[in-house]
Amino acid sequence: MTTEHTAEHWLGRSVKRKEDDRFLQGKGNYVDDINLPGMLHMSILRSPVAHARINSIDTSAAAALPGVVAVVTGELLAQHNLAWMPTLSGDTQAVLATDKVRMQGQEVACVIAEDPYIAHDALELIEVDYDPLPVVVTPQQSLEPGAPVIRDDKEDKQDNRIYHWEAGDPEATERAFAQADRVVEYETFYPRCHPAPMETCGCVADVNPVTGKATIYMTSQAPHAHRTVFALVAGLPEHQIQIISPDIGGGFGNKVPVYPGYVVATAASLLLGRPVKWIEDRTGNLISTGFARDFYMKGQLALREDGKMLGLRVNMLSDQGYAYADAQPSKLKAGLFHIVTGSYDIPAAHVVTDGAYTNKAPGGVAYRCSFRVTEASYFIERLVQTAAYELGVDPVELRRRNFIQPEQFPYTSATGFVYDSGNYEAALDKALEMLGYEDLKAEQERARQEGKLIGIGLATFTEVVGAGPSKDYDILGLKMFDSAELRVHPTGKAILKIGVQTQGQGHETTFAQIVANELGIPPSDILVQHGDTDNTPYGLGTYASRSTPTAGAATAVVSRKLRDKARELAAHLLEVAPEDLEWVGDRFQVRGAPDRQTTIQEAAFAAYTNHPQGMEAGLEGVTYYDPPNMTYPFGAYAVAVEVDRGTGQWKVKRMVAVDDCGVRINPMIVEGQIMGGLTEGFAMAAMELITFDELGNCIGSNFSDYLIPTSWETPKFELGETVTPSPHHPIGAKGVGESATVGSPAAFVNAVVDALAHAGVRELEMPMGPDKVWKALAEAGLAE
Ligand code: CDP
């Protein structure tokens, strides 16, 4: 044995993704790949109208079609007390409509047939007699006195308000405004868009007629939480329900809610005694499942003449559709929207939020976002740019004057968040240097003189991810801890089981790296298992960039527990006291005699073959990690665009993104997350839009109307990093999955507005299609 030993470091290494072996060979295992003997297929009839009373549903012709096994209606479900279900925000949502339909695309009936084509054809044979009702398509209409009450299924509901919720200190904010030299106002709408994952939602429900056990393969970002909801809805004990989320083709928040299709397929399998598969089509996904955003925001920033921010007021009204159905921590009605003070040291703030029902799809899911942080970040970054124009200060300079300084951390914001760590100016400096800000400004000036429009936009955002500490965060009462269970086998290979569920983020690799970093077992020797409620410890799932801050922390902690036990085993093998040993990354060495060593593999073997008397055999453990705080990743994004004065089209010349997510476990995976997030941020700024006509018809129900960028439209991104570790996370990591989607829309909009700002333009609503930009050019006298 050598006396000089250097263990491999597994953090900060771009280990190739273990899961890609199967994905690159087309060997992934998605819900639609699951085919069970005797399996039936389900298709859903959806309402063509947005608001109507149902007079009758005639299913006789559909039921008579050869190959149809059953037709399920709300009336049938009502007999089993299943016509309505709870949502993850504590509201209710119809499984299949009974009294009324309340949105276009609502689930009205389901056909179960021997094959999917028959099931689909039979839908056309179902006759539904609808009596149309007045339609409400905006939250402003919805809150007007006399508006039709959408949720009249609730006995005590007299209006359409879902919640009114406030954060911050109104009096302190009043005082701040009274002292202000300048007050800058900004109002905007963050339109409805949709996560549109590549794989739509679906399930295969298999209720065993003999044992009664329900095995449900499901496109779920949160299998444990979903199992609990199923147990509550169906009254089945949890050991009789196994939810398996196999490979998931993207989630982005869309696969967090419970959807009617899952419930009907499971009920049908129970009643028919055969497995039932439901795979949603694209239109079904776009019109009925969790949309995102739909936030109306206005506010004022109080400033001193020198640009110091003194106070912030924000009012937000959210359109929730006909049910409050996203997963919202129960104490936080508008999610984490009150992070709206952003990266700035604003001493006083008051945030007033309201949510309202409309005749639209339920949701308001946090599309690649931590509970409404995206909208908040967009608002403050647009407001700061507007303030810079009004004060005649460079947007860079205004930010510098107001950033929370590194020595102020941990920093308590005016709305009550305790930011863990940050260094905003360092990230901004790096982004400006990479962009060549001063040169670009000179180029902008020259271009203007030549009649060309160049714009430069910044966003210096702060996120809040890793929900969350159990004192403040729960979904339906379920505390938002997460978990990791680690077993090291006799030969030193390991299996890690986690409560979160990847949908493409690479957990099989990065979580193995965390174990490798703590125990020195190479990632290739560690199997990471997730997404199966019978075989993983309880956890709240993957969304809101919470996996690394919660289950990632649990993984480090459980690994350390095992290392402590391995120390005892090594001491036994080396016949020394445990305190005489030092850990060198993958083995213990005797202090002062480093050639006397025990590797982690040798210690593991001893745990099963030669453990000391009185010690429990085996090397395994489980940790449920309750994070002491959220993590606060941040970044500085800078975009340069060129706007065509003849067409209103804009093109990204440069896009620089500097992210700080603390310690990076796998830089390649982090960069992949950022590239994907930037693409989705660009998509929102440029093209993604779901809108409705006055009758509540959804415009954006297919990929011809709902535009998502392909590689052709997506600009090139230049990435940079700074590293400010989280002081409370065991390995100093913060979440990153969503940072780029949160931070980038404001940077793109700020850039396009900046190109037109010298002519007085201050606002362009997303998505900034060429039509809108051309109109703004024309109104500002800039169009050619
Ligand atoms: O919850 P979700 O997995 O969507 O988000 P995340 O925790 O931000 O992690 C996204 C991916 O990036 C995971 O594979 C993480 O382990 C990885 N990551 C990393 O390598 N280093 C970080 N500091 C944060 C995330």
Side-chain angles (χ1 to χ4, degrees), residues 707-740:
L707 306 180
I708 56 173
T710 64
S711 58
W712 185 255
E713 292 87 16
T714 304
K716 180 172 179 281
F717 305 125
E718 300 160 54
L719 306 188
E721 72 173 292
T722 57
V723 177
T724 312
S726 167
H728 62 82
H729 188 280
I731 57 166
K734 303 181 180 186
V736 74
E738 302 164 340
S739 292

PDB file of all heavy atoms in Angstrom, residues 707-740:
ATOM      1  N   LEU A 707     -46.752  28.481 -29.754  1.00  0.00           N
ATOM      2  CA  LEU A 707     -45.431  28.357 -30.367  1.00  0.00           C
ATOM      3  C   LEU A 707     -44.373  28.058 -29.322  1.00  0.00           C
ATOM      4  O   LEU A 707     -44.308  28.731 -28.298  1.00  0.00           O
ATOM      5  CB  LEU A 707     -45.084  29.654 -31.101  1.00  0.00           C
ATOM      6  CG  LEU A 707     -46.117  30.125 -32.126  1.00  0.00           C
ATOM      7  CD1 LEU A 707     -45.656  31.411 -32.783  1.00  0.00           C
ATOM      8  CD2 LEU A 707     -46.369  29.046 -33.179  1.00  0.00           C
ATOM      9  N   ILE A 708     -43.589  27.044 -29.579  1.00  0.00           N
ATOM     10  CA  ILE A 708     -42.428  26.796 -28.723  1.00  0.00           C
ATOM     11  C   ILE A 708     -41.186  26.800 -29.620  1.00  0.00           C
ATOM     12  O   ILE A 708     -41.264  26.401 -30.778  1.00  0.00           O
ATOM     13  CB  ILE A 708     -42.540  25.468 -27.930  1.00  0.00           C
ATOM     14  CG1 ILE A 708     -42.755  24.278 -28.850  1.00  0.00           C
ATOM     15  CG2 ILE A 708     -43.651  25.521 -26.919  1.00  0.00           C
ATOM     16  CD1 ILE A 708     -42.705  22.942 -28.106  1.00  0.00           C
ATOM     17  N   PRO A 709     -40.068  27.298 -29.098  1.00  0.00           N
ATOM     18  CA  PRO A 709     -38.908  27.440 -29.980  1.00  0.00           C
ATOM     19  C   PRO A 709     -38.240  26.107 -30.281  1.00  0.00           C
ATOM     20  O   PRO A 709     -38.142  25.242 -29.413  1.00  0.00           O
ATOM     21  CB  PRO A 709     -37.971  28.339 -29.166  1.00  0.00           C
ATOM     22  CG  PRO A 709     -38.370  28.145 -27.748  1.00  0.00           C
ATOM     23  CD  PRO A 709     -39.817  27.758 -27.735  1.00  0.00           C
ATOM     24  N   THR A 710     -37.808  25.946 -31.493  1.00  0.00           N
ATOM     25  CA  THR A 710     -36.957  24.810 -31.843  1.00  0.00           C
ATOM     26  C   THR A 710     -35.515  25.313 -31.792  1.00  0.00           C
ATOM     27  O   THR A 710     -35.270  26.491 -31.516  1.00  0.00           O
ATOM     28  CB  THR A 710     -37.265  24.312 -33.265  1.00  0.00           C
ATOM     29  OG1 THR A 710     -36.935  25.369 -34.175  1.00  0.00           O
ATOM     30  CG2 THR A 710     -38.741  23.956 -33.420  1.00  0.00           C
ATOM     31  N   SER A 711     -34.576  24.444 -32.103  1.00  0.00           N
ATOM     32  CA  SER A 711     -33.173  24.879 -32.075  1.00  0.00           C
ATOM     33  C   SER A 711     -32.947  25.997 -33.094  1.00  0.00           C
ATOM     34  O   SER A 711     -32.063  26.823 -32.939  1.00  0.00           O
ATOM     35  CB  SER A 711     -32.246  23.697 -32.363  1.00  0.00           C
ATOM     36  OG  SER A 711     -32.575  23.147 -33.610  1.00  0.00           O
ATOM     37  N   TRP A 712     -33.769  26.048 -34.118  1.00  0.00           N
ATOM     38  CA  TRP A 712     -33.634  27.074 -35.169  1.00  0.00           C
ATOM     39  C   TRP A 712     -33.853  28.478 -34.603  1.00  0.00           C
ATOM     40  O   TRP A 712     -33.128  29.415 -34.918  1.00  0.00           O
ATOM     41  CB  TRP A 712     -34.663  26.756 -36.270  1.00  0.00           C
ATOM     42  CG  TRP A 712     -34.558  27.647 -37.456  1.00  0.00           C
ATOM     43  CD1 TRP A 712     -35.387  28.674 -37.790  1.00  0.00           C
ATOM     44  CD2 TRP A 712     -33.564  27.599 -38.485  1.00  0.00           C
ATOM     45  NE1 TRP A 712     -34.978  29.268 -38.935  1.00  0.00           N
ATOM     46  CE2 TRP A 712     -33.858  28.622 -39.394  1.00  0.00           C
ATOM     47  CE3 TRP A 712     -32.446  26.775 -38.705  1.00  0.00           C
ATOM     48  CZ2 TRP A 712     -33.089  28.858 -40.527  1.00  0.00           C
ATOM     49  CZ3 TRP A 712     -31.674  27.016 -39.834  1.00  0.00           C
ATOM     50  CH2 TRP A 712     -31.994  28.041 -40.718  1.00  0.00           C
ATOM     51  N   GLU A 713     -34.877  28.615 -33.761  1.00  0.00           N
ATOM     52  CA  GLU A 713     -35.193  29.955 -33.227  1.00  0.00           C
ATOM     53  C   GLU A 713     -34.359  30.309 -32.005  1.00  0.00           C
ATOM     54  O   GLU A 713     -34.237  31.474 -31.651  1.00  0.00           O
ATOM     55  CB  GLU A 713     -36.676  30.048 -32.797  1.00  0.00           C
ATOM     56  CG  GLU A 713     -37.685  30.000 -33.920  1.00  0.00           C
ATOM     57  CD  GLU A 713     -38.047  28.571 -34.278  1.00  0.00           C
ATOM     58  OE1 GLU A 713     -37.754  27.661 -33.488  1.00  0.00           O
ATOM     59  OE2 GLU A 713     -38.605  28.376 -35.376  1.00  0.00           O
ATOM     60  N   THR A 714     -33.835  29.286 -31.319  1.00  0.00           N
ATOM     61  CA  THR A 714     -33.184  29.534 -30.026  1.00  0.00           C
ATOM     62  C   THR A 714     -31.828  30.208 -30.222  1.00  0.00           C
ATOM     63  O   THR A 714     -31.012  29.731 -31.002  1.00  0.00           O
ATOM     64  CB  THR A 714     -32.993  28.189 -29.289  1.00  0.00           C
ATOM     65  OG1 THR A 714     -34.276  27.571 -29.185  1.00  0.00           O
ATOM     66  CG2 THR A 714     -32.425  28.403 -27.900  1.00  0.00           C
ATOM     67  N   PRO A 715     -31.612  31.326 -29.500  1.00  0.00           N
ATOM     68  CA  PRO A 715     -30.326  32.014 -29.670  1.00  0.00           C
ATOM     69  C   PRO A 715     -29.176  31.246 -29.028  1.00  0.00           C
ATOM     70  O   PRO A 715     -29.388  30.293 -28.276  1.00  0.00           O
ATOM     71  CB  PRO A 715     -30.533  33.351 -28.961  1.00  0.00           C
ATOM     72  CG  PRO A 715     -31.767  33.231 -28.155  1.00  0.00           C
ATOM     73  CD  PRO A 715     -32.527  32.022 -28.589  1.00  0.00           C
ATOM     74  N   LYS A 716     -27.987  31.723 -29.297  1.00  0.00           N
ATOM     75  CA  LYS A 716     -26.791  31.137 -28.662  1.00  0.00           C
ATOM     76  C   LYS A 716     -26.646  31.763 -27.281  1.00  0.00           C
ATOM     77  O   LYS A 716     -26.869  32.970 -27.123  1.00  0.00           O
ATOM     78  CB  LYS A 716     -25.592  31.483 -29.533  1.00  0.00           C
ATOM     79  CG  LYS A 716     -24.271  30.978 -29.049  1.00  0.00           C
ATOM     80  CD  LYS A 716     -23.212  31.251 -30.133  1.00  0.00           C
ATOM     81  CE  LYS A 716     -21.838  30.791 -29.703  1.00  0.00           C
ATOM     82  NZ  LYS A 716     -21.161  31.689 -28.796  1.00  0.00           N
ATOM     83  N   PHE A 717     -26.287  30.949 -26.296  1.00  0.00           N
ATOM     84  CA  PHE A 717     -26.114  31.461 -24.933  1.00  0.00           C
ATOM     85  C   PHE A 717     -24.654  31.325 -24.524  1.00  0.00           C
ATOM     86  O   PHE A 717     -24.030  30.291 -24.784  1.00  0.00           O
ATOM     87  CB  PHE A 717     -26.988  30.675 -23.948  1.00  0.00           C
ATOM     88  CG  PHE A 717     -28.450  30.645 -24.322  1.00  0.00           C
ATOM     89  CD1 PHE A 717     -29.125  29.430 -24.466  1.00  0.00           C
ATOM     90  CD2 PHE A 717     -29.161  31.822 -24.514  1.00  0.00           C
ATOM     91  CE1 PHE A 717     -30.471  29.393 -24.812  1.00  0.00           C
ATOM     92  CE2 PHE A 717     -30.512  31.792 -24.854  1.00  0.00           C
ATOM     93  CZ  PHE A 717     -31.167  30.574 -25.003  1.00  0.00           C
ATOM     94  N   GLU A 718     -24.147  32.340 -23.862  1.00  0.00           N
ATOM     95  CA  GLU A 718     -22.775  32.288 -23.331  1.00  0.00           C
ATOM     96  C   GLU A 718     -22.881  32.253 -21.810  1.00  0.00           C
ATOM     97  O   GLU A 718     -23.482  33.142 -21.213  1.00  0.00           O
ATOM     98  CB  GLU A 718     -21.993  33.531 -23.759  1.00  0.00           C
ATOM     99  CG  GLU A 718     -21.894  33.680 -25.272  1.00  0.00           C
ATOM    100  CD  GLU A 718     -21.570  35.107 -25.696  1.00  0.00           C
ATOM    101  OE1 GLU A 718     -20.577  35.671 -25.224  1.00  0.00           O
ATOM    102  OE2 GLU A 718     -22.342  35.659 -26.502  1.00  0.00           O
ATOM    103  N   LEU A 719     -22.297  31.224 -21.199  1.00  0.00           N
ATOM    104  CA  LEU A 719     -22.498  31.020 -19.764  1.00  0.00           C
ATOM    105  C   LEU A 719     -21.255  31.367 -18.947  1.00  0.00           C
ATOM    106  O   LEU A 719     -20.133  31.120 -19.372  1.00  0.00           O
ATOM    107  CB  LEU A 719     -22.887  29.566 -19.479  1.00  0.00           C
ATOM    108  CG  LEU A 719     -24.085  29.010 -20.239  1.00  0.00           C
ATOM    109  CD1 LEU A 719     -24.451  27.626 -19.690  1.00  0.00           C
ATOM    110  CD2 LEU A 719     -25.289  29.929 -20.168  1.00  0.00           C
ATOM    111  N   GLY A 720     -21.510  31.926 -17.773  1.00  0.00           N
ATOM    112  CA  GLY A 720     -20.435  32.193 -16.816  1.00  0.00           C
ATOM    113  C   GLY A 720     -20.910  31.815 -15.425  1.00  0.00           C
ATOM    114  O   GLY A 720     -22.094  31.520 -15.223  1.00  0.00           O
ATOM    115  N   GLU A 721     -20.006  31.813 -14.479  1.00  0.00           N
ATOM    116  CA  GLU A 721     -20.427  31.429 -13.132  1.00  0.00           C
ATOM    117  C   GLU A 721     -19.665  32.190 -12.060  1.00  0.00           C
ATOM    118  O   GLU A 721     -18.531  32.626 -12.279  1.00  0.00           O
ATOM    119  CB  GLU A 721     -20.250  29.928 -12.899  1.00  0.00           C
ATOM    120  CG  GLU A 721     -18.812  29.505 -12.770  1.00  0.00           C
ATOM    121  CD  GLU A 721     -18.650  28.038 -12.367  1.00  0.00           C
ATOM    122  OE1 GLU A 721     -18.997  27.680 -11.241  1.00  0.00           O
ATOM    123  OE2 GLU A 721     -18.153  27.272 -13.213  1.00  0.00           O
ATOM    124  N   THR A 722     -20.309  32.360 -10.941  1.00  0.00           N
ATOM    125  CA  THR A 722     -19.612  32.697  -9.700  1.00  0.00           C
ATOM    126  C   THR A 722     -20.089  31.656  -8.684  1.00  0.00           C
ATOM    127  O   THR A 722     -21.112  31.005  -8.903  1.00  0.00           O
ATOM    128  CB  THR A 722     -19.954  34.124  -9.200  1.00  0.00           C
ATOM    129  OG1 THR A 722     -21.373  34.228  -9.016  1.00  0.00           O
ATOM    130  CG2 THR A 722     -19.492  35.190 -10.175  1.00  0.00           C
ATOM    131  N   VAL A 723     -19.339  31.477  -7.618  1.00  0.00           N
ATOM    132  CA  VAL A 723     -19.706  30.448  -6.631  1.00  0.00           C
ATOM    133  C   VAL A 723     -19.769  31.076  -5.241  1.00  0.00           C
ATOM    134  O   VAL A 723     -18.755  31.477  -4.686  1.00  0.00           O
ATOM    135  CB  VAL A 723     -18.702  29.274  -6.640  1.00  0.00           C
ATOM    136  CG1 VAL A 723     -19.062  28.256  -5.552  1.00  0.00           C
ATOM    137  CG2 VAL A 723     -18.683  28.583  -8.002  1.00  0.00           C
ATOM    138  N   THR A 724     -20.970  31.174  -4.715  1.00  0.00           N
ATOM    139  CA  THR A 724     -21.183  31.647  -3.347  1.00  0.00           C
ATOM    140  C   THR A 724     -21.936  30.534  -2.622  1.00  0.00           C
ATOM    141  O   THR A 724     -23.151  30.392  -2.790  1.00  0.00           O
ATOM    142  CB  THR A 724     -22.014  32.952  -3.334  1.00  0.00           C
ATOM    143  OG1 THR A 724     -21.472  33.856  -4.290  1.00  0.00           O
ATOM    144  CG2 THR A 724     -22.033  33.582  -1.956  1.00  0.00           C
ATOM    145  N   PRO A 725     -21.236  29.693  -1.873  1.00  0.00           N
ATOM    146  CA  PRO A 725     -21.904  28.522  -1.294  1.00  0.00           C
ATOM    147  C   PRO A 725     -23.055  28.900  -0.360  1.00  0.00           C
ATOM    148  O   PRO A 725     -23.028  29.965   0.261  1.00  0.00           O
ATOM    149  CB  PRO A 725     -20.787  27.826  -0.509  1.00  0.00           C
ATOM    150  CG  PRO A 725     -19.514  28.369  -1.060  1.00  0.00           C
ATOM    151  CD  PRO A 725     -19.810  29.752  -1.525  1.00  0.00           C
ATOM    152  N   SER A 726     -24.031  28.015  -0.280  1.00  0.00           N
ATOM    153  CA  SER A 726     -25.067  28.185   0.734  1.00  0.00           C
ATOM    154  C   SER A 726     -24.457  27.797   2.081  1.00  0.00           C
ATOM    155  O   SER A 726     -23.904  26.706   2.220  1.00  0.00           O
ATOM    156  CB  SER A 726     -26.264  27.269   0.445  1.00  0.00           C
ATOM    157  OG  SER A 726     -27.099  27.232   1.581  1.00  0.00           O
ATOM    158  N   PRO A 727     -24.569  28.674   3.088  1.00  0.00           N
ATOM    159  CA  PRO A 727     -23.939  28.343   4.372  1.00  0.00           C
ATOM    160  C   PRO A 727     -24.645  27.235   5.132  1.00  0.00           C
ATOM    161  O   PRO A 727     -24.045  26.635   6.027  1.00  0.00           O
ATOM    162  CB  PRO A 727     -24.031  29.665   5.146  1.00  0.00           C
ATOM    163  CG  PRO A 727     -25.133  30.434   4.497  1.00  0.00           C
ATOM    164  CD  PRO A 727     -25.194  29.993   3.068  1.00  0.00           C
ATOM    165  N   HIS A 728     -25.886  26.936   4.795  1.00  0.00           N
ATOM    166  CA  HIS A 728     -26.595  25.928   5.598  1.00  0.00           C
ATOM    167  C   HIS A 728     -26.752  24.590   4.896  1.00  0.00           C
ATOM    168  O   HIS A 728     -27.148  23.606   5.503  1.00  0.00           O
ATOM    169  CB  HIS A 728     -27.975  26.451   6.039  1.00  0.00           C
ATOM    170  CG  HIS A 728     -28.896  26.763   4.891  1.00  0.00           C
ATOM    171  ND1 HIS A 728     -29.631  25.804   4.260  1.00  0.00           N
ATOM    172  CD2 HIS A 728     -29.189  27.931   4.278  1.00  0.00           C
ATOM    173  CE1 HIS A 728     -30.347  26.376   3.290  1.00  0.00           C
ATOM    174  NE2 HIS A 728     -30.088  27.659   3.274  1.00  0.00           N
ATOM    175  N   HIS A 729     -26.470  24.520   3.592  1.00  0.00           N
ATOM    176  CA  HIS A 729     -26.601  23.249   2.886  1.00  0.00           C
ATOM    177  C   HIS A 729     -25.329  22.428   3.125  1.00  0.00           C
ATOM    178  O   HIS A 729     -24.219  22.966   3.040  1.00  0.00           O
ATOM    179  CB  HIS A 729     -26.802  23.512   1.391  1.00  0.00           C
ATOM    180  CG  HIS A 729     -27.133  22.293   0.607  1.00  0.00           C
ATOM    181  ND1 HIS A 729     -26.176  21.381   0.205  1.00  0.00           N
ATOM    182  CD2 HIS A 729     -28.311  21.808   0.160  1.00  0.00           C
ATOM    183  CE1 HIS A 729     -26.757  20.400  -0.460  1.00  0.00           C
ATOM    184  NE2 HIS A 729     -28.061  20.632  -0.504  1.00  0.00           N
ATOM    185  N   PRO A 730     -25.465  21.121   3.429  1.00  0.00           N
ATOM    186  CA  PRO A 730     -24.281  20.332   3.795  1.00  0.00           C
ATOM    187  C   PRO A 730     -23.135  20.383   2.790  1.00  0.00           C
ATOM    188  O   PRO A 730     -21.981  20.268   3.169  1.00  0.00           O
ATOM    189  CB  PRO A 730     -24.819  18.903   3.918  1.00  0.00           C
ATOM    190  CG  PRO A 730     -26.279  19.034   4.085  1.00  0.00           C
ATOM    191  CD  PRO A 730     -26.703  20.347   3.508  1.00  0.00           C
ATOM    192  N   ILE A 731     -23.444  20.522   1.489  1.00  0.00           N
ATOM    193  CA  ILE A 731     -22.328  20.635   0.536  1.00  0.00           C
ATOM    194  C   ILE A 731     -22.290  22.024  -0.114  1.00  0.00           C
ATOM    195  O   ILE A 731     -21.622  22.221  -1.137  1.00  0.00           O
ATOM    196  CB  ILE A 731     -22.365  19.526  -0.545  1.00  0.00           C
ATOM    197  CG1 ILE A 731     -23.692  19.534  -1.304  1.00  0.00           C
ATOM    198  CG2 ILE A 731     -22.079  18.167   0.068  1.00  0.00           C
ATOM    199  CD1 ILE A 731     -23.663  18.700  -2.577  1.00  0.00           C
ATOM    200  N   GLY A 732     -23.030  22.961   0.445  1.00  0.00           N
ATOM    201  CA  GLY A 732     -22.973  24.347  -0.045  1.00  0.00           C
ATOM    202  C   GLY A 732     -23.705  24.582  -1.351  1.00  0.00           C
ATOM    203  O   GLY A 732     -23.530  25.621  -1.992  1.00  0.00           O
ATOM    204  N   ALA A 733     -24.540  23.608  -1.774  1.00  0.00           N
ATOM    205  CA  ALA A 733     -25.212  23.742  -3.071  1.00  0.00           C
ATOM    206  C   ALA A 733     -26.550  24.452  -2.918  1.00  0.00           C
ATOM    207  O   ALA A 733     -27.237  24.321  -1.912  1.00  0.00           O
ATOM    208  CB  ALA A 733     -25.432  22.356  -3.676  1.00  0.00           C
ATOM    209  N   LYS A 734     -26.921  25.210  -3.935  1.00  0.00           N
ATOM    210  CA  LYS A 734     -28.264  25.770  -4.026  1.00  0.00           C
ATOM    211  C   LYS A 734     -28.927  25.144  -5.255  1.00  0.00           C
ATOM    212  O   LYS A 734     -28.227  24.596  -6.114  1.00  0.00           O
ATOM    213  CB  LYS A 734     -28.192  27.283  -4.213  1.00  0.00           C
ATOM    214  CG  LYS A 734     -27.430  28.016  -3.103  1.00  0.00           C
ATOM    215  CD  LYS A 734     -27.420  29.520  -3.345  1.00  0.00           C
ATOM    216  CE  LYS A 734     -26.669  30.250  -2.237  1.00  0.00           C
ATOM    217  NZ  LYS A 734     -26.773  31.715  -2.369  1.00  0.00           N
ATOM    218  N   GLY A 735     -30.227  25.247  -5.368  1.00  0.00           N
ATOM    219  CA  GLY A 735     -30.916  24.718  -6.550  1.00  0.00           C
ATOM    220  C   GLY A 735     -30.588  25.570  -7.766  1.00  0.00           C
ATOM    221  O   GLY A 735     -30.181  26.722  -7.640  1.00  0.00           O
ATOM    222  N   VAL A 736     -30.763  24.984  -8.966  1.00  0.00           N
ATOM    223  CA  VAL A 736     -30.430  25.747 -10.180  1.00  0.00           C
ATOM    224  C   VAL A 736     -31.405  25.509 -11.323  1.00  0.00           C
ATOM    225  O   VAL A 736     -31.463  26.283 -12.267  1.00  0.00           O
ATOM    226  CB  VAL A 736     -28.994  25.427 -10.655  1.00  0.00           C
ATOM    227  CG1 VAL A 736     -28.906  24.056 -11.303  1.00  0.00           C
ATOM    228  CG2 VAL A 736     -28.473  26.500 -11.579  1.00  0.00           C
ATOM    229  N   GLY A 737     -32.205  24.438 -11.214  1.00  0.00           N
ATOM    230  CA  GLY A 737     -32.997  23.995 -12.367  1.00  0.00           C
ATOM    231  C   GLY A 737     -33.810  25.095 -13.011  1.00  0.00           C
ATOM    232  O   GLY A 737     -34.050  25.086 -14.219  1.00  0.00           O
ATOM    233  N   GLU A 738     -34.248  26.048 -12.207  1.00  0.00           N
ATOM    234  CA  GLU A 738     -35.205  27.013 -12.734  1.00  0.00           C
ATOM    235  C   GLU A 738     -34.661  28.419 -12.886  1.00  0.00           C
ATOM    236  O   GLU A 738     -35.323  29.288 -13.443  1.00  0.00           O
ATOM    237  CB  GLU A 738     -36.421  27.031 -11.811  1.00  0.00           C
ATOM    238  CG  GLU A 738     -37.012  25.659 -11.716  1.00  0.00           C
ATOM    239  CD  GLU A 738     -37.957  25.486 -10.549  1.00  0.00           C
ATOM    240  OE1 GLU A 738     -37.881  26.285  -9.611  1.00  0.00           O
ATOM    241  OE2 GLU A 738     -38.757  24.571 -10.596  1.00  0.00           O
ATOM    242  N   SER A 739     -33.445  28.630 -12.364  1.00  0.00           N
ATOM    243  CA  SER A 739     -32.914  30.002 -12.340  1.00  0.00           C
ATOM    244  C   SER A 739     -33.066  30.710 -13.677  1.00  0.00           C
ATOM    245  O   SER A 739     -33.494  31.868 -13.743  1.00  0.00           O
ATOM    246  CB  SER A 739     -31.428  29.970 -11.980  1.00  0.00           C
ATOM    247  OG  SER A 739     -31.262  29.565 -10.647  1.00  0.00           O
ATOM    248  N   ALA A 740     -32.720  30.007 -14.740  1.00  0.00           N
ATOM    249  CA  ALA A 740     -32.657  30.689 -16.028  1.00  0.00           C
ATOM    250  C   ALA A 740     -34.044  31.056 -16.557  1.00  0.00           C
ATOM    251  O   ALA A 740     -34.209  32.080 -17.227  1.00  0.00           O
ATOM    252  CB  ALA A 740     -31.923  29.804 -17.026  1.00  0.00           C
TER     253      ALA A 740
END
